Amino acid sequence: MSTTIAKAYDPRDVEARWYSAWMENGCFAGRMEKGKEPYSIVIPPPNVTGILHMGHVLNNTLQDVIIRRARLEGKAACWIPGTDHAGIATQTMVEKHLRETEGKTRRDLGREEFLKRVWAWREEKGDKILRQLRELGCSCDWERTHFTMDPAYSRSVLTAFVRLFEAGNIYRGKRMVNWCPASLTALSDEEVEMRPTKGFIYRIRYELVEPVGEHTHVVLETTRPETIGADVAVAVHPEDPRFSQLIGKQVWRPLGERAGIPIIGDRAVDMEFGGGALKVTPAHDRVDFEIGQRHDLPVLDCLESNGILNDIAGPELAGLDRFAGRKRAAEVLRESGALLEEKPYENNVGHSQRAGVPIEPRLTWQWWLRYPKVEEAKQVVRDGIVKMHPDRWSKVYLNWLDNIQDWCVSRQLWWGHRIPVWYAKGLERDSLTEADLRDPSKIHVSLDGPPDPENWEREEDVLDTWASSWLWPLATLGWPDAGAQERDGFDTFYPTTTLATGADIIFFWVARMIMAGLEFTSPDLPMERRVPFRHVYFNGIVRDKQGRKMSKTLGNSPDPLDLIHTYGADGLRFGLLQIAPLGQDVKFDETRVESGKNFCNKLWNACRFRQMSGPMADNGSPEAILSRIDPARCDDDDHAILAALLDTTRVLERGFAEFEFANATQRLYSFFWNDFCDWYVEVAKTRVQDETARDHVLALQDLVIRQFLLLFEPFAPFITEELWHLLGYGDDKSFLQDTRLESAETLAAALAGRGLEVEAAASDRVGRLREVATLARQLKAEQGAAQKRDVVFQVLADDASWGGLAPHASKLARLVGAATLERTSAEPALPAVVTPLGTLYLDTGEKVDPAAERARLEKERAEVEKHIVGTDKRLSNQAFLNKAAPSVVEGARRQLETLQAKRDEIDRLLAAL
RNA sequence: GGGGGAUUAGCUCAGUUGGUUAGAGCGCUUGCUUGACAUGCAAGAGGUCGGCAGUUCAAAUCUGCCAUCUCCCA
């Protein structure tokens, strides 16, 4: 603590040093401590092979801010980190690597060998993001790092599956799924993204097998002519008069195998669209599939799983992929005369969120989950047991649950949790009924498999990654293993307190976690104990300056590590939070990060200046500092800065209660920079020269800085820790986080205990002095004397005003750069300005230009007059006097008086010229 | 088609339950190597608060309609 503080803050060394110190001392360990209120967070697990991007920075900074504040409030804080195995993304990445380096596919290697490669990849490249989070300063309990594919975690995933199966919530069914022809797997509805897609719509003529009267054909429109070969009917609305005689007749299929297909009536047909007729292709469209079911139509599949057309599509198309096939189909139809028109068309097409390609509706056998505890999941949010911030997301959440569909949980991948289902050898899987699934001689479902594995074949598919991450708050605390739960403090840390995440995964993850929490905790417990978290904070998306999402492909995302190296982790954290209001998207602006860095440097230098101002005394406890403060010596500036400190403390308390951090950071900024540095430290410079006042003034500064460091620590943990030690607030054996943050209330009480009741009126008086200072500087600048230090201010004031000014005359003179500031009773012929504490005349020693002075005063007078007119108008309105609150009317009256007095004084100055 | 969100200074954003002259950061202009900080200090310019109507003594703030941008769901 005797170390002198360097001239500029250099984050690099400080950050590395403190992070290792925190780690070595187990500062982030989430301990179950009796008597401490728990506060826990689970990290939204990033993709294990992911790297840090700006979205992570925002999301994790918020979590770190919250958890560090909880620590300072004396809570048992626990932030659980970890990563997600990200089935499709990781498998695709490894497959690509395999193809590029060895020219092999996963099938060339076989399942077991391929999985070895994925694990090797994970060992080599995985968890990089967790190391990056450390550079950001994240105070996760790293001992508790989890991975969704770890053995214990896997066991909990499979346990959930088995229990849900036993409860009858899981079934196997051949249904329409969203098929990704790139990843060769089914996807859940949530993984499909509707994108407006430009293409063509084709008007096609289907010839009647036998003409009916003058009808020789039916015309319909489609965007997918390549699937005509799989058409099994043409549907029209049963009440459509245009087609009433045609229902029951047949048309020739214009592509593929030449065959007559029936015209059927079905209410699903939109009479307005495409002439009122619809080609029915049950294998390739959801609506068509349902129509087919209703009319008992066959299912013809013309697409292979990888999107290549087969023989059913017709000899001309077989072997082509679906997009080439579409063009070819149009050509063939044009040649045959069946294509009447081809026009540009835009429609919404489902795309695989991961692979980016259009998905195919495809009929396959999959495992499905009927969501458990749907009603309860709605109830806990409606009742406020789980609170969303901002609250509007509750509506989105409830709406989704109202329209919830069964979840396709199987994925045709290898990387993931293999579904714990065994089929009896030789069993025909394509004809299994619901009853067969419950027949233990045919199907075995368990955690450890059948006792006679040689007679069984395990299901090939794995579970959707989200079917593992929905257990995150449970499994990371040891569920379902009782011993592990005890070890990990399940009863202490579950439910977690706050979840911070992006609204883009409200369905994927948040809603499902709530259902899982309710399903897998004991029904004997109250709902408050069963939900996975009590608060959900939705942070916005970080966008670039043009408002675009940051993405790798656009290359518009700065590398957070670069930002950390340029501005420091604290600067990045603080700067980003300043522009991240609750639930609102953030347009990233690097200048704000720079301003965050500058703020850190300002804090650094203020502390450095404190050190240079006088000897450091005992800062080891608030009591020690308070004992050095002399209440009798407290002047208005002392009262005002303490009032501002208490207010800032309150603003922070409110900010944390409401998750409004942008507001909190701005208050921290303006308090420290404007209230403390620009005013308090400046005025204190004079007092520090006074031997008898020095100790008191410096003690006050020590108190303010101490409280400020505590308030600021969650946002900027590195610099605050460094300064905490440099200024002797803590010894070598402890850390800032070991200190209890005083609330505004306890701090005020501690001050009162020392005989110091903070006087509110002092802030007003200081406010007036600050105004006088600004006006004086303004006058100097206007007179071209800004750089002079030897000017004289003469004050014409009544006794009351002079009484407010006189005690501060010398420090004011110093602040505004004047030799003296003294009272006058004359009316000197000098440039003047009217202030709340009298009229200030500036003597620069130069000759005065009366014309310029007159112009200046008249401009000022016009400005004042404008406001007088406005205020006068309000006050002469009887309705205002009758209806407005008395305090408001009184305020207007006082304002009018002040303005009039000012105008009169300006008039007097003008007359004197 | 249904539902959110946004629109305030050149740029990025604050603005609590309506109430004196709408704020900050960055940028811009001017002057300062004033003994903590040029990552700084001081002063200044810059806004008919998207538009129109309404409620009210009083609207950036509340209500309705419209416009533009954006997100989610179908």
Side-chain angles (χ1 to χ4, degrees):
Chain A
M1 82 188 70
S2 57
T3 327
T4 49
I5 299 177
K7 190 175 171 183
Y9 175 55
D10 177 14
R12 288 227 191 188
D13 157 66
V14 171
E15 289 176 7
R17 189 152 40 76
W18 283 116
Y19 204 89
S20 358
W22 294 330
M23 292 289 278
E24 279 161 26
N25 290 277
C27 286
F28 307 150
R31 298 188 188 91
M32 294 79 88
E33 288 170 86
K34 284 230 164 60
K36 279 194 174 186
E37 185 188 334
Y39 198 112
S40 54
I41 298 179
V42 287
I43 202 170
N47 179 339
V48 65
T49 59
I51 54 163
L52 195 69
H53 60 62
M54 292 307 294
H56 294 126
V57 172
L58 175 60
N59 175 247
N60 288 288
T61 298
L62 284 162
Q63 294 174 72
D64 198 42
V65 165
I66 293 169
I67 205 77
R68 283 179 182 271
R69 170 91 182 190
R71 255 179 228 121
L72 287 172
E73 288 173 351
K75 295 177 182 160
C78 180
W79 181 12
I80 301 174
T83 50
D84 188 309
H85 66 280
I88 299 179
T90 308
Q91 173 163 323
T92 307
M93 201 183 289
V94 176
E95 282 184 290
K96 188 177 165 211
H97 179 73
L98 195 62
R99 198 165 54 241
E100 284 168 0
T101 55
E102 299 176 43
K104 286 185 184 160
T105 69
R106 68 177 150 124
R107 295 191 193 280
D108 294 335
L109 295 186
R111 188 168 190 139
E112 207 175 318
E113 179 57 27
F114 177 73
L115 288 178
K116 275 188 197 157
R117 301 294 183 94
V118 185
W119 277 106
W121 179 275
R122 177 242 187 284
E123 291 312 319
E124 191 195 330
K125 315 238 165 151
D127 290 348
K128 180 176 179 188
I129 189 161
L130 298 184
R131 292 190 292 276
Q132 291 176 315
L133 287 176
R134 294 172 205 207
E135 297 211 33
L136 189 61
C138 292
S139 59
C140 305
D141 181 353
W142 300 108
E143 301 291 316
R144 291 176 181 260
T145 302
H146 288 81
F147 177 47
T148 50
M149 287 295 286
D150 282 342
Y153 199 103
S154 298
R155 247 185 122 68
S156 97
V157 174
L158 301 189
T159 300
F161 183 95
V162 172
R163 288 199 192 171
L164 287 166
F165 181 83
E166 284 166 357
N169 283 43
I170 284 181
Y171 60 92
R172 184 168 177 271
K174 187 170 188 182
R175 298 186 17 190
M176 234 21 174
V177 295
N178 307 295
W179 183 264
C180 174
S183 310
L184 300 180
T185 178
L187 301 174
S188 69
D189 293 346
E190 287 67 35
E191 289 164 289
V192 176
E193 208 174 82
M194 299 306 282
R195 293 187 198 164
T197 306
K198 286 199 172 74
F200 294 91
I201 190 155
Y202 303 87
R203 217 171 145 73
I204 297 166
R205 190 178 152 118
Y206 282 55
E207 301 297 331
L208 280 163
V209 173
E210 289 170 18
V212 179
E214 62 222 39
H215 295 287
T216 56
H217 61 272
V218 173
V219 173
L220 55 76
E221 290 187 353
T222 179
T223 56
R224 303 209 58 188
E226 75 279 14
T227 63
I228 288 175
D231 284 355
V232 293
V234 167
V236 296
H237 197 279
E239 281 156 27
D240 191 335
R242 293 171 293 181
F243 301 108
S244 48
Q245 310 122 285
L246 299 182
I247 294 174
K249 309 294 180 204
Q250 288 200 319
V251 289
W252 291 114
R253 188 189 283 144
L255 256 177
E257 188 192 350
R258 182 170 168 87
I261 53 173
I263 299 175
I264 57 171
D266 194 288
R267 297 186 171 276
V269 178
D270 178 0
M271 287 195 267
E272 309 295 317
F273 182 83
L278 173 76
K279 75 190 214 44
V280 180
T281 325
H284 302 294
D285 185 279
R286 254 173 220 239
V287 174
D288 292 12
F289 179 72
E290 284 162 19
I291 295 175
Q293 296 261 289
R294 283 196 284 272
H295 296 267
D296 205 17
L297 296 168
V299 177
L300 290 183
D301 189 344
C302 68
L303 269 175
E304 298 300 315
S305 64
N306 56 4
I308 303 289
L309 292 155
N310 62 23
D311 292 341
I312 292 174
E316 303 93 335
L317 308 187
L320 297 174
D321 84 12
R322 51 195 171 142
F323 306 110
R326 189 170 303 164
K327 278 190 193 142
R328 183 77 187 115
E331 285 165 17
V332 175
L333 291 166
R334 189 177 290 121
E335 283 160 23
S336 70
L339 179 64
L340 302 177
E341 199 184 353
E342 172 182 351
K343 51 191 174 188
Y345 187 73
E346 186 177 297
N347 61 343
N348 276 324
V349 177
H351 282 68
S352 155
Q353 206 182 41
R354 277 275 160 227
V357 300
I359 59 106
E360 283 295 335
R362 192 157 185 259
L363 198 59
T364 51
W365 284 100
Q366 301 289 345
W367 289 94
W368 299 84
L369 171 68
R370 286 184 204 99
Y371 283 99
K373 301 287 184 292
V374 175
E375 282 313 310
E376 292 86 339
K378 291 185 208 168
Q379 204 55 42
V380 292
V381 168
R382 281 200 215 104
D383 294 349
I385 294 171
V386 173
K387 285 199 189 68
M388 303 201 173
H389 308 270
D391 183 51
R392 61 184 135 85
W393 290 108
S394 300
K395 271 200 275 179
V396 177
Y397 167 89
L398 291 170
N399 182 263
W400 183 74
L401 283 172
D402 283 338
N403 298 295
I404 200 161
Q405 303 286 318
D406 291 353
W407 178 8
C408 174
V409 292
S410 47
R411 294 290 177 276
Q412 287 66 54
L413 304 173
W414 287 351
W415 176 237
H417 302 98
R418 193 163 174 181
I419 293 177
V421 169
W422 284 260
Y423 303 92
K425 266 193 182 154
L427 194 69
E428 178 52 60
R429 293 192 202 177
D430 281 354
S431 56
L432 284 178
T433 63
E434 187 80 3
D436 292 336
L437 289 183
R438 306 291 151 187
D439 180 346
S441 69
K442 293 177 175 164
I443 297 285
H444 176 96
V445 178
S446 77
L447 220 54
D448 301 308
D452 52 340
E454 65 281 4
N455 298 321
W456 299 85
E457 284 169 339
R458 188 168 181 177
E459 168 65 54
E460 300 291 319
D461 291 352
V462 301
L463 286 167
D464 179 4
T465 306
W466 295 104
S468 60
S469 43
W470 75 325
L471 302 171
W472 191 245
L474 295 162
T476 54
L477 288 167
W479 183 87
D481 183 274
Q485 282 179 242
E486 178 149 351
R487 180 197 65 212
D488 297 340
F490 189 94
D491 289 343
T492 304
F493 295 123
Y494 189 95
T496 64
T497 316
T498 298
L499 175 79
T501 187
D504 51 337
I505 52 175
I506 185 169
F507 311 135
F508 278 112
W509 196 46
V510 180
R512 288 165 175 171
M513 275 194 286
I514 293 175
M515 289 185 271
L518 294 170
E519 175 70 7
F520 298 116
T521 49
S522 163
D524 302 333
L525 292 170
M527 286 297 187
E528 288 78 7
R529 298 284 307 281
R530 295 171 64 191
V531 294
F533 29 71
R534 304 302 304 275
H535 298 275
V536 185
Y537 175 96
F538 290 108
N539 56 256
I541 294 167
V542 184
R543 299 174 177 280
D544 71 3
K545 276 201 139 175
Q546 283 112 58
R548 299 175 304 179
K549 247 182 182 170
M550 288 188 167
S551 75
K552 262 184 249 170
T553 43
L554 281 172
N556 57 350
S557 176
D559 182 346
L561 274 292
D562 288 346
L563 293 173
I564 289 174
H565 293 147
T566 312
Y567 303 106
D570 292 333
L572 173 60
R573 293 163 60 115
F574 191 64
L576 191 61
L577 285 195
Q578 272 188 294
I579 51 175
L582 171 58
Q584 220 55 268
D585 285 358
V586 182
K587 269 190 209 162
F588 182 69
D589 181 354
E590 197 165 321
T591 64
R592 296 303 285 252
V593 180
E594 188 178 4
S595 126
K597 173 195 165 194
N598 294 348
F599 184 65
C600 289
N601 191 58
K602 185 73 179 178
L603 170 64
W604 184 261
N605 272 286
C607 292
R608 173 170 180 248
F609 185 58
R610 158 62 192 94
Q611 201 183 45
M612 293 161 69
S613 297
M616 300 304 298
D618 184 2
N619 269 346
S621 69
E623 294 73 28
I625 301 171
L626 277 170
S627 73
R628 287 161 34 221
I629 290 178
D630 179 358
R633 284 194 179 275
C634 277
D635 65 6
D636 282 354
D637 290 314
D638 293 339
H639 280 275
I641 197 66
L642 289 173
L645 181 68
L646 289 171
D647 181 62
T648 304
T649 306
R650 275 184 217 106
V651 167
L652 269 283
E653 282 162 12
R654 206 158 52 233
F656 275 90
E658 292 165 10
F659 297 94
E660 285 278 14
F661 303 113
N663 194 29
T665 52
Q666 276 160 23
R667 182 66 181 132
L668 285 172
Y669 189 99
S670 70
F671 168 73
F672 195 79
W673 203 307
N674 304 121
D675 297 339
F676 186 65
C677 292
D678 289 350
W679 185 260
Y680 188 79
V681 174
E682 289 303 323
V683 296
K685 279 177 180 171
T686 309
R687 293 168 78 200
V688 167
Q689 306 302 314
D690 175 0
E691 291 279 327
T692 57
R694 182 201 282 160
D695 289 348
H696 163 78
V697 173
L698 293 181
L700 214 100
Q701 291 189 9
D702 287 346
L703 186 77
V704 170
I705 292 172
R706 180 181 189 278
Q707 178 74 359
F708 183 79
L709 290 178
L710 288 167
L711 291 174
F712 193 42
E713 190 266 359
F715 302 91
F718 294 109
I719 188 171
T720 47
E721 184 82 75
E722 177 76 357
L723 290 169
W724 185 259
H725 290 271
L726 284 171
L727 294 180
Y729 294 115
D731 58 33
D732 294 346
K733 307 237 175 336
S734 69
F735 297 93
L736 188 158
Q737 66 162 35
D738 303 327
T739 310
R740 223 14 214 281
L741 169 67
E742 310 251 15
S743 69
E745 207 184 332
T746 56
L747 183 57
L751 288 167
R754 180 74 182 115
L756 220 171
E757 296 279 358
V758 175
E759 197 192 329
S763 299
D764 297 336
R765 291 195 291 268
V766 170
R768 279 194 288 278
L769 279 182
R770 287 172 76 163
E771 215 175 312
V772 173
T774 299
L775 289 164
R777 285 167 178 151
Q778 203 175 354
L779 186 59
K780 269 182 80 185
E782 274 165 359
Q783 300 304 315
Q787 76 284 12
K788 291 193 178 178
R789 310 291 298 165
D790 58 353
V791 299
V792 172
F793 278 106
Q794 297 184 25
V795 188
L796 183 64
D798 58 25
D799 288 346
S801 294
W802 181 246
L805 208 49
H808 309 286
S810 78
K811 78 185 178 200
L812 260 183
R814 183 198 157 103
L815 274 177
V816 303
T820 57
L821 192 142
E822 57 204 26
R823 195 176 188 184
T824 177
S825 52
E827 295 180 15
L830 291 169
V833 63
V834 182
T835 81
L837 295 173
T839 298
L840 246 53
Y841 292 90
L842 174 65
D843 187 355
T844 59
E846 303 282 319
K847 245 180 80 182
V848 182
D849 176 356
E853 180 63 6
R854 173 170 294 279
R856 197 177 59 79
L857 286 170
E858 273 173 354
K859 193 178 155 205
E860 175 67 12
R861 188 189 189 282
E863 189 68 16
V864 173
E865 186 63 29
K866 198 175 84 188
H867 294 304
I868 288 175
V869 171
T871 312
D872 196 41
K873 203 174 140 198
R874 287 211 300 156
L875 282 168
S876 49
N877 181 345
Q878 195 57 43
F880 173 68
L881 298 176
N882 292 342
K883 298 189 180 178
S887 63
V888 173
V889 177
E890 186 47 36
R893 287 215 172 95
R894 270 205 309 274
Q895 187 203 357
L896 185 63
E897 277 168 29
T898 311
L899 287 167
Q900 281 169 340
K902 187 167 184 185
R903 181 189 58 190
D904 292 349
E905 180 64 6
I906 294 172
D907 281 341
R908 196 189 56 72
L909 289 170
L910 279 165
L913 273 173

